[in-house]
């Protein structure tokens, strides 16, 4: 199993995190992953919270009182908590996974950002909820981005670019790449970096694996490359004492 960690996030003492890539099981059971990868040396039980991902901008707040039948909190594409011992997880197969943490207020968020969620501002929604409910501050936030389809491979149609032009008119030339006449690629990572910057995040605290899921078949799953047979990867984060 490929498991990736980022130095900036690893430097936050109160956080355990991992971006899970390709492994022997194409769709691994996330509770087993959290126990193995976040449970510490003794693989102690870990409570996992996840959402039914619907390509929205909805962020769900999780605490020790949240009802989680089978770990599902509700419909949404971001999760946030300040409770220790609760792992937050999102599944991806080309969309961008993000883990964000304010080390001072001990606020954690995990985000699933596809193009629809990015246009709708899912990262901004997570930052807003973490500020309003968990006393987080964008200027203190550390953000890590996991494997996702890169601008090198993410060819999109005119309707996608038009949606980004409406949402981010000042940034469209940084988000849309045109490697050949009549061809447009979307830079999903850059779109979310700019969204973070607009929200007040210091981009020196934003780090990415820069691992394209289409270009790295040995390490990642990709819906664009594999179609319906594509497996799923996980981004997992948990606060600890």
């Amino acid at each position: 199993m490929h498991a990736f960690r980022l130095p900036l996030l690893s430097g936050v003492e109160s956080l355990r995190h991992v971006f899970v890539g390709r492994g022997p099981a194409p769709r691994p059971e996330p509770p087993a992953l959290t126990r193995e990868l976040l449970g510490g040396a003794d693989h102690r039980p870990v409570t996992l919270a996840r959402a039914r991902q619907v390509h929205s901008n909805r962020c769900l707040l999780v605490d020790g009182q949240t009802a989680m039948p089978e770990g599902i909190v509700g419909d949404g594409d971001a999760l946030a908590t300040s409770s220790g011992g609760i792992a937050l997880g999102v599944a991806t197969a080309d969309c961008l996974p993000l883990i964000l943490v304010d080390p001072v207020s001990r606020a954690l968020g995990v985000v699933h950002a596809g193009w629809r969620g990015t246009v709708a501002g899912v990262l901004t929604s997570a930052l807003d909820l973490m500020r309003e409910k968990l006393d987080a501050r964008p200027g203190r936030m550390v953000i890590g981005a996991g494997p996702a389809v890169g601008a090198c491979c993410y060819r999109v149609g005119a309707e996608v670019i038009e949606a980004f032009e409406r949402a981010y008119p000042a940034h469209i030339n940084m988000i849309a790449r045109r490697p050949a006449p009549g061809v447009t690629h979307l830079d999903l990572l850059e779109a979310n970096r700019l969204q973070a910057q607009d929200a007040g995040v210091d981009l020196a605290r934003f780090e990415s694996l820069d691992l394209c899921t289409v270009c790295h078949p040995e390490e990642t799953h990709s819906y664009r490359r594999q179609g319906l047979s594509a497996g799923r990867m996980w981004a997992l984060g948990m606060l600890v004492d």
Side-chain angles (χ1 to χ4, degrees), residues 41-115:
D42 57 359
H43 301 324
R44 69 188 63 181
V46 174
T47 299
L48 172 67
R50 49 184 169 152
R52 283 182 291 268
Q53 296 168 200
V54 291
H55 294 279
S56 69
N57 66 351
R58 188 181 182 200
C59 182
L60 305 169
L61 187 63
V62 182
D63 60 29
Q65 306 302 313
T66 303
M68 295 187 289
E70 299 183 353
I72 302 293
V73 180
D75 294 345
D77 290 272
L79 301 153
T81 192
S82 60
S83 298
I86 297 177
L88 307 181
V90 294
T92 61
D94 278 328
C95 296
L96 183 70
L98 297 156
I99 297 174
L100 37 156
V101 60
D102 181 336
V104 177
S105 67
R106 287 177 50 89
L108 169 68
V110 178
V111 175
H112 161 254
W115 79 260

Side-chain angles (χ1 to χ4, degrees), residues 80 91 103 129 189:
L129 184 143
L189 173 62

Side-chain angles (χ1 to χ4, degrees), residues 5 17-18 61 81 86 101 110 114 120 142 147-148 161 174 189 191 202 204:
R5 293 175 176 85
H17 83 285
V18 64
L61 187 63
T81 192
I86 297 177
V101 60
V110 178
V142 179
I161 296 303
M174 300 176 70
L189 173 62
D202 179 358

Side-chain angles (χ1 to χ4, degrees), residues 166-184:
R166 291 191 296 270
Y168 305 105
H171 297 319
I172 190 59
N173 289 332
M174 300 176 70
I175 294 170
R177 309 290 176 85
R178 296 177 173 85
V183 176
T184 304

Side-chain angles (χ1 to χ4, degrees), residues 3-20 33-49 81 83-90 98-103 106-110 142 144 234-241:
F4 306 98
R5 293 175 176 85
L6 288 167
L8 279 179
L9 290 176
S10 296
V12 179
E13 292 185 0
S14 58
L15 175 70
R16 289 180 187 161
H17 83 285
V18 64
F19 295 99
V20 182
L33 287 177
T34 56
R35 185 171 58 252
E36 177 182 352
L37 298 173
L38 299 182
D42 57 359
H43 301 324
R44 69 188 63 181
V46 174
T47 299
L48 172 67
T81 192
S83 298
I86 297 177
L88 307 181
V90 294
L98 297 156
I99 297 174
L100 37 156
V101 60
D102 181 336
R106 287 177 50 89
L108 169 68
V110 178
V142 179
W234 282 87
L236 301 167
M238 183 178 71
L239 295 169
V240 295
D241 295 328

